[in-house]
């Protein structure tokens, strides 16, 4: 790392509810091995100021330390790039490619300040407290973004004319190749295939997201596109809304932030504890609990074991929390039948089985009978809509076999299930 990259502070800018221009909220700065935050006096004096997230960063004067066990405020970490975005930044700054990319080469402040400004949620990070300068590349076509993503992943040199396109993927979360694109009326996250994929993951996620919608879950809208002959998944952004005055940004926090955990402690995240937070802090808690239960069930049915706490999130408007639409629902690879979820389901159990879902029902204000009915309804809907979704995705017979009964409705999930559910464990 060069001396120029040793940033000691950054300013946090925020889009307040119903506003199309950001204001500076405060400063984040190094304090040994941690990052601490202080609200600006001018921000605290605003009559429409909101806490970036409460209880983590309440509106008050003075330095606010990270919560116990954290090295920085988790609600700010939510706005920083994840694995893919960090790889893009290392590539852009150092020219390192492929296996030579080590995301530990830069610190958190560098990643905040080097990533694009159109990041998820309502925050951005700047070097200045007085002048907001957005960071972003020129408009790029899907083919260009796909080309850049392939180059970053494969370790081939990036053509100078494509350099600015890197910004489109530098602020996005997750580990897979992706980028942000914009039309006149909508914004999307574009997901590309990876050279490590052992099956068509792009189509797999499209299928899972469409089926999730058909079983009645609130999910982000998805479409499939082609670029340079390859499949690209477009997910409509639900943290943006077009108004007559410009783009509105919705504040968001991850379940990792809600649970007061960081990446190193993510294995302790649980649906049970998330349900407890929903009961006490969310709007419409009962309906939200039922929605979350439906998502848990569907994750198991479709083989999405990557349901970690950054793949659940809530809108935050300064006062209330509300579950966002579901996203990142993708059937995962499994070497055999047995599988487990990324988040604990109930107690210390995370096994990907419907019986475990039934055991957890009471945490979601559901009786076992009602929970069983929800599972059965999802199974019926999945079977009913499978042919149509396959047609939408243009899945050939081989691609269907890779998903059905291997990732989706794998026989393992039915072990020890009641007869009403185990009867769905058939080859049909």
């Amino acid at each position: 790392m060069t001396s120029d990259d040793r940033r000691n502070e950054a300013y946090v800018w925020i889009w307040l509810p119903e506003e199309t221009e950001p204001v500076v909220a405060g400063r984040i700065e190094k304090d040994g091995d941690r990052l601490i935050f202080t609200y600006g006096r001018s921000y605290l004096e605003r009559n429409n100021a909101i806490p970036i997230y409460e209880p983590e960063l309440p509106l008050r004067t003075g330095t606010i330390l990270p919560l116990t066990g954290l090295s920085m405020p988790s609600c700010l970490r939510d706005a920083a790039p994840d694995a893919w975005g960090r790889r893009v930044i290392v590539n852009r700054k150092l020219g390192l490619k492929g296996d030579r990319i080590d995301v530990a080469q830069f610190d958190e402040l560098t990643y905040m300040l080097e990533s694009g400004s159109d990041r998820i949620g309502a925050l951005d990070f700047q070097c200045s407290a007085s002048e907001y300068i957005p960071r972003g590349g020129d408009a790029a076509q899907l083919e260009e973004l796909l080309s850049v993503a392939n180059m970053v992943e494969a370790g081939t040199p990036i053509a100078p004319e494509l350099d600015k396109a890197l910004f489109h993927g530098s602020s996005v979360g997750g580990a897979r190749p992706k980028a942000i694109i914009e039309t006149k009326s909508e914004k999307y996250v574009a997901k590309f295939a990876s050279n490590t994929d052992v099956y068509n993951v792009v189509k797999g996620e499209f299928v899972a997201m469409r089926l999730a919608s058909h079983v009645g879950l609130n999910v982000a809208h998805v479409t499939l596109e082609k670029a340079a002959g390859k499949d690209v998944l477009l997910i409509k952004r639900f943290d943006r809304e077009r108004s007559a005055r410009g783009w509105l940004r919705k504040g968001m926090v991850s379940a990792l932030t809600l649970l007061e955990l960081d990446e190193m402690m993510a294995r302790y995240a649980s649906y049970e504890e998330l349900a407890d937070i929903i009961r006490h802090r969310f709007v419409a808690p009962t309906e939200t609990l039922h929605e979350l239960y439906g998502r848990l069930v569907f994750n198991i049915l479709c083989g999405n074991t990557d349901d970690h706490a950054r793949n659940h999130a809530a809108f935050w408007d300064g006062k209330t929390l509300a579950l966002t639409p579901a996203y990142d629902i993708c059937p995962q690879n499994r070497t055999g039948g047995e599988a487990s979820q990324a988040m604990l389901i109930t107690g210390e159990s995370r096994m990907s089985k419907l019986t475990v879902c039934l055991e957890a029902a009471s945490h979601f204000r559901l009786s076992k009978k009602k929970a069983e009915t929800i599972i059965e309804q999802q199974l019926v809907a999945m079977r009913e809509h499978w042919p149509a979704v396959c047609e939408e995705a243009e899945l050939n017979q081989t691609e269907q076999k890779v998903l059905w009964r291997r990732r989706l409705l794998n026989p393992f999930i039915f072990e020890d299930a009641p007869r009403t559910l185990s009867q769905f464990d058939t080859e049909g």
Side-chain angles (χ1 to χ4, degrees):
M1 185 187 305
T2 68
S3 59
D4 290 341
D5 291 320
R6 296 186 183 277
R7 309 277 172 65
N8 292 314
E9 65 179 19
Y11 292 92
V12 181
W13 289 65
I14 185 171
W15 279 256
L16 292 168
E18 303 306 316
E19 298 293 337
T20 57
E21 298 294 333
V23 296
V24 65
R27 182 180 72 250
I28 185 170
E29 59 187 321
K30 287 184 179 178
D31 179 49
D33 293 333
R34 62 184 178 176
L35 294 176
I36 59 178
F37 179 79
T38 307
Y39 280 108
R41 184 176 65 182
S42 62
Y43 183 75
L44 292 174
E45 291 173 350
R46 298 181 66 93
N47 58 15
N48 63 343
I50 64 171
I52 293 176
Y53 172 62
E54 207 166 33
E56 189 174 42
L57 293 181
L59 280 179
R60 64 173 177 82
T61 59
T63 298
I64 303 175
L65 304 180
L67 299 177
T68 302
L70 302 181
S71 60
M72 67 175 294
S74 187
C75 60
L76 300 184
R77 174 62 181 84
D78 282 341
D82 282 334
W84 176 254
R86 291 170 191 239
R87 291 189 67 188
V88 170
I89 290 167
V90 172
N91 181 294
R92 191 172 194 273
K93 289 182 66 62
L94 300 181
L96 297 178
K97 319 283 193 306
D99 294 339
R100 297 177 61 203
I101 291 179
D102 177 8
V103 296
Q105 288 169 295
F106 296 125
D107 61 13
E108 206 66 48
L109 286 176
T110 299
Y111 285 120
M112 289 175 169
L113 291 168
E114 293 292 338
S115 47
S117 292
D118 197 8
R119 62 188 75 244
I120 302 301
L123 301 179
D124 192 22
F125 306 100
Q126 296 277 311
C127 294
S128 171
S130 58
E131 182 182 15
Y132 180 79
I133 304 175
R135 298 178 301 278
D138 297 333
Q141 299 298 313
L142 270 180
E143 288 78 6
E144 294 177 310
L145 298 174
L146 175 61
S147 177
V148 167
N150 289 339
M151 290 175 183
V152 170
E153 194 170 37
T156 55
I158 293 175
E161 64 269 19
L162 293 179
D163 181 68
K164 288 186 177 181
L166 281 169
F167 268 118
H168 292 268
S170 65
S171 60
V172 195
R176 292 185 56 79
K178 58 179 69 67
I180 288 173
I181 65 170
E182 177 180 341
T183 67
K184 289 183 178 180
S185 59
E186 304 291 355
K187 293 197 177 192
Y188 298 88
V189 173
K191 289 189 174 182
F192 310 116
S194 168
N195 57 26
T196 61
D197 290 343
V198 296
Y199 82 102
N200 193 323
V201 176
V202 171
K203 282 188 176 181
E205 183 167 353
F206 173 82
V207 165
M209 292 286 285
R210 292 293 294 126
L211 286 174
S213 176
H214 283 303
V215 304
L217 298 177
N218 177 22
V219 300
H221 179 71
V222 294
T223 56
L224 267 181
E225 300 287 342
K226 289 280 187 181
K230 294 186 178 181
D231 295 303
V232 179
L233 179 69
L234 296 185
I235 304 106
K236 183 180 176 182
R237 293 183 64 174
F238 45 74
D239 63 333
R240 296 290 186 269
E241 183 180 337
R242 187 72 169 172
S243 75
R245 296 176 291 113
W247 288 102
L248 303 175
R249 302 194 181 196
K250 296 183 179 182
M252 285 174 53
V253 290
S254 69
L256 207 59
T257 293
L258 296 173
L259 295 165
E260 300 182 1
L261 301 172
D262 64 11
E263 274 76 12
M264 298 300 292
M265 298 185 286
R267 65 185 181 280
Y268 300 115
S270 77
Y271 282 97
E272 186 177 344
E273 291 185 22
L274 181 55
D276 188 55
I277 292 171
I278 289 171
R279 281 195 298 272
H280 291 95
R281 301 192 55 210
F282 275 56
V283 296
T286 298
E287 292 86 345
T288 303
L289 287 169
H290 294 176
E291 170 72 18
L292 181 62
Y293 187 77
R295 296 183 189 187
L296 164 61
V297 168
F298 187 76
N299 282 335
I300 289 176
L301 294 182
C302 79
N304 176 37
T305 54
D306 191 35
D307 57 340
H308 56 79
R310 282 210 184 280
N311 280 345
H312 299 276
F315 292 122
W316 167 254
D317 63 5
K319 296 179 181 179
T320 60
L321 290 163
L323 204 63
T324 71
Y327 56 95
D328 275 348
I329 303 177
C330 185
Q332 301 296 308
N333 293 328
R334 55 205 299 168
T335 54
E338 185 172 310
S340 59
Q341 300 304 119
M343 282 176 55
L344 295 164
I345 299 173
T346 180
E348 295 301 310
S349 179
R350 63 175 82 237
M351 296 305 292
S352 307
K353 298 172 68 173
L354 297 178
T355 52
V356 180
C357 285
L358 292 175
E359 292 168 7
S362 62
H363 302 308
F364 299 84
R365 293 183 178 174
L366 290 166
S367 66
K368 280 196 174 182
K369 183 176 181 181
K370 178 58 177 176
E372 194 171 321
T373 299
I374 290 173
I375 297 172
E376 184 174 354
Q377 289 172 341
Q378 288 200 14
L379 285 164
V380 170
M382 286 181 70
R383 286 184 173 276
E384 177 185 350
H385 293 282
W386 169 250
V389 171
C390 287
E391 187 173 344
E392 278 187 83
E394 298 181 354
L395 291 181
N396 58 41
Q397 288 298 314
T398 300
E399 290 171 326
Q400 291 182 38
K401 289 179 180 178
V402 164
L403 290 172
W404 195 252
R405 299 284 297 167
R406 287 169 175 78
R407 291 166 176 84
L408 282 74
L409 304 190
N410 186 286
F412 174 74
I413 70 174
F414 295 100
E415 284 190 5
D416 306 317
R419 172 61 184 165
T420 54
L421 302 180
S422 62
Q423 65 178 328
F424 290 91
D425 182 22
T426 65
E427 292 293 337

